[in-house]
Amino acid sequence: MLQKALEFASQNNERFLAELKEVLAIPSISTDPEHKADMQKAAEWMAAQLRTIGMNNVQIMPTGGHPVVYGDWMDAGKSAPTVMIYGHYDVQPADPLELWQTPPFEATVRGENLFARGSADMKGQVIASLKAAESVMYAGDMPVNLKWLIEGEEEIGSEHLDNFIKNHKELLKADFCLNADAGILAPDKPSITTGLRGLAYFELKVYGPKKDLHSGLYGGAVHNPAQALAELIAGMHDKNGKITLPGFYDKVRKLSKKEREDFARLPLPNKLYIEQTGVPALWGEPNFTVPERLGARPTLEVNGLLSGFTGPGSKTVLPAWAMAKISCRLVPDQTPEETIKQMKKYLKENAPKDITWELTYLHGAGAALVGSDNIGIVALSKAMQSVWGRKPYFLREGGSIGVVVQLQKHLGVDSVLSGFGLPDCDAHSPNEKLHLPTWTKGIDAFIHFFYNLK
Ligand code: BES
Ligand code: MN
């Protein structure tokens, strides 16, 4: 019974929070080999949760990388829908550590927020779906079959999940996937995400002299690799912010009039982004609004730069090499494979002959659009209406989640994208936080969601 489940959730809210704090204490940083044991620990924690809330066949399944946690509950019967629930137990690195007000892996409540790495992205959301399911299981009338897919490599591109899904098609068969790894517009503005951007992530190295040189003895005669790299990077955009990689926009789908109208209706004024980011002015393609630029236009970003002497004081050196981490956010119908070719072509055509370069592709994911009329979206939309008292906004967001395309490709399964992390939750930044009142509403919304599928 709905009421029984909602009451259970409300009475157990403090315990839910305590359990969330427990899993937030595990530094499951997928990109860092030093945290391999923590990855296993986090996977075991998730598996134990699944068992505790009454799931069957709970397994920690190996992949080429970090393991997948699987569990199911198929007792709703053949005529009931099967809902896959996706989550990731990995988090981004916490550095720069000195900017955290309280330690990233000691979850701390301040005001209405819980501060910890992974609180919003996305352990809080995984716990919200687990606790909603626990509440409905307690009520004793779970109306749908459940299959849990909780991976450990989302923050590094879900590389091994692709093969995992391909090799477990039968096990993972479902009507749709609930994915709480996207966000919500505002505490009073529920939203459902209908599109995500893809990604192609590169490391570009430029080599000059065989070793660091005295900049007085050689500066002026040897092309400085830091400068050459900066020149290459600067050339990747034109004056209007358009990306110059050859063919980059060839496959970019044009926005229809209807899509532009949908974007225009979102309550997202420019001043909101200025407030959120603290920049003096916004930047980007002049012919597109900010929500369009973020949701439906591709980008090329420098994620990091490294070269030469960066310690305190001065050193007159002409560095031997320079490195940049560069990633492109992709939109339909661009693909990471084509982006790699375009990047290589740009470098071949533009790199000067006085340096050498090396491009490494690290990982990527395709962009995704999801149908807005499947039973999952209808159920979640109605659930949000019940909890927030208003219909959700539908929007395309700028982040990437590898599994969404992988499920479409291998299983024909669409994702229902939601989440309760606010735009200012500081995911991937210091002092990441989860807004607890929104999180609690999220648990209730997921409880309603299950019953709406009856
Ligand atoms: N949860 C985010 C993605 C997200 C955030 C989607 C907000 C929609 C709204 C996810 O964990 C993430 O950060 N993904 C990475 C993926 C990448 C490493 C392949 C991203 O987008 O940078
Ligand atoms: Mn996430």
Side-chain angles (χ1 to χ4, degrees):
M1 227 181 68
L2 171 71
Q3 216 45 46
K4 191 171 172 191
L6 289 173
E7 257 163 45
F8 178 84
S10 144
Q11 281 159 6
N12 285 274
N13 189 274
E14 254 176 63
R15 173 173 63 84
F16 294 171
L17 181 60
E19 288 176 38
L20 172 57
K21 284 184 179 174
E22 216 178 273
V23 71
L24 285 170
I26 308 171
S28 45
I29 303 167
S30 48
T31 196
D32 188 345
E34 282 192 8
H35 286 281
K36 196 156 186 264
D38 293 316
M39 296 303 293
Q40 184 67 26
K41 217 170 134 189
E44 278 163 17
W45 193 94
M46 291 292 173
Q49 272 287 317
L50 288 174
R51 287 191 190 99
T52 307
I53 69 166
M55 297 299 120
N56 301 315
N57 298 315
V58 177
Q59 302 166 58
I60 296 178
M61 302 176 76
T63 69
H66 300 301
V68 162
V69 184
Y70 174 86
D72 60 28
W73 188 83
M74 302 301 288
D75 297 353
K78 280 220 163 67
S79 57
T82 298
V83 181
M84 180 192 292
I85 303 181
Y86 167 86
H88 64 82
Y89 62 84
D90 64 325
V91 299
Q92 290 269 334
D95 57 271
L97 288 177
E98 66 279 10
L99 294 184
W100 285 79
Q101 277 188 43
T102 45
F105 298 105
E106 285 172 31
T108 310
V109 177
R110 280 199 297 282
E112 291 190 325
N113 292 300
L114 178 70
F115 289 80
R117 170 58 84 233
S119 56
D121 188 7
M122 75 165 294
K123 287 173 178 168
Q125 325 296 334
V126 178
I127 302 308
S129 49
L130 282 164
K131 294 305 164 189
E134 177 178 337
S135 305
V136 179
M137 292 296 287
Y138 170 83
D141 53 355
M142 175 61 83
V144 294
N145 299 306
L146 298 173
K147 291 185 174 179
W148 299 81
L149 176 68
I150 308 179
E151 68 153 322
E153 297 195 322
E154 196 280 337
E155 299 292 2
I156 49 173
S158 301
E159 187 193 336
H160 298 95
L161 190 63
D162 194 55
N163 260 329
F164 181 88
I165 294 173
K166 203 159 76 189
N167 295 335
H168 295 90
K169 284 191 187 161
E170 200 46 46
L171 183 74
L172 298 175
K173 232 168 117 183
D175 290 292
F176 67 89
C177 173
L178 178 69
N179 184 329
D181 197 23
I184 184 165
L185 264 181
D188 61 345
K189 294 186 179 72
S191 58
I192 294 178
T193 300
T194 56
L196 293 166
R197 290 193 288 189
L199 192 76
Y201 203 113
F202 302 98
E203 189 175 294
L204 175 59
K205 270 192 149 179
V206 167
Y207 300 96
K210 63 185 176 196
K211 58 193 166 188
D212 284 4
L213 301 174
H214 189 300
S215 67
L217 298 187
Y218 296 98
V222 169
H223 197 172
N224 186 314
Q227 180 189 339
L229 177 61
E231 287 160 352
L232 282 170
I233 290 172
M236 290 176 186
H237 287 94
D238 71 12
K239 282 201 189 78
N240 297 316
K242 277 206 121 179
I243 295 146
T244 58
L245 308 189
F248 189 75
Y249 291 93
D250 287 357
K251 294 276 175 68
V252 172
R253 229 188 269 178
K254 290 222 164 52
L255 281 172
S256 68
K257 194 161 165 265
K258 162 93 175 47
E259 285 172 308
R260 298 200 78 167
E261 284 165 3
D262 289 345
F263 269 115
R265 262 197 298 277
L266 297 170
L268 296 170
N270 284 3
K271 84 170 199 314
L272 185 77
Y273 293 98
I274 296 198
E275 271 164 27
Q276 283 172 8
T277 60
V279 293
L282 296 170
W283 176 90
E285 292 181 278
N287 299 332
F288 294 91
T289 66
V290 172
E292 286 173 348
R293 287 181 217 163
L294 297 175
R297 297 293 295 171
T299 64
L300 182 149
E301 300 290 335
V302 179
N303 300 110
L305 278 172
L306 188 66
S307 184
F309 177 71
T310 56
S314 67
K315 179 183 182 191
T316 43
V317 66
L318 196 165
W321 57 269
M323 185 275 277
K325 306 263 184 184
I326 299 174
S327 63
C328 295
R329 294 282 167 177
L330 308 178
V331 298
D333 298 302
Q334 292 177 297
T335 62
E337 293 71 30
E338 279 167 343
T339 311
I340 303 171
K341 287 192 194 133
Q342 294 158 359
M343 178 63 92
K344 278 194 187 141
K345 189 151 188 250
Y346 169 87
L347 292 169
K348 278 189 190 138
E349 287 171 2
N350 292 281
K353 297 286 166 275
D354 47 27
I355 53 108
T356 57
W357 55 270
E358 184 182 39
L359 181 74
T360 312
Y361 170 70
L362 296 181
H363 60 75
L369 288 176
V370 296
S372 57
D373 53 356
N374 70 53
I375 53 167
I377 295 217
V378 175
L380 186 61
S381 171
K382 213 174 132 205
M384 286 177 158
Q385 167 115 41
S386 303
V387 173
W388 273 269
R390 63 187 292 180
K391 283 205 182 94
Y393 290 92
F394 287 83
L395 81 158
R396 286 169 67 174
E397 293 207 75
S400 312
I401 309 173
V403 71
V404 178
V405 172
Q406 295 169 354
L407 288 175
Q408 282 178 335
K409 187 170 70 180
H410 298 306
L411 303 176
V413 164
D414 246 341
S415 294
V416 175
L417 290 159
S418 73
F420 310 107
L422 296 168
D424 67 349
C425 67
D426 286 321
H428 299 201
S429 298
N431 303 305
E432 177 178 348
K433 60 181 182 289
L434 178 69
H435 186 237
L436 293 171
T438 305
W439 179 68
T440 300
K441 279 188 172 163
I443 296 174
D444 286 354
F446 282 161
I447 292 174
H448 279 272
F449 161 81
F450 288 126
Y451 286 107
N452 289 344
L453 287 162
K454 195 144 71 191

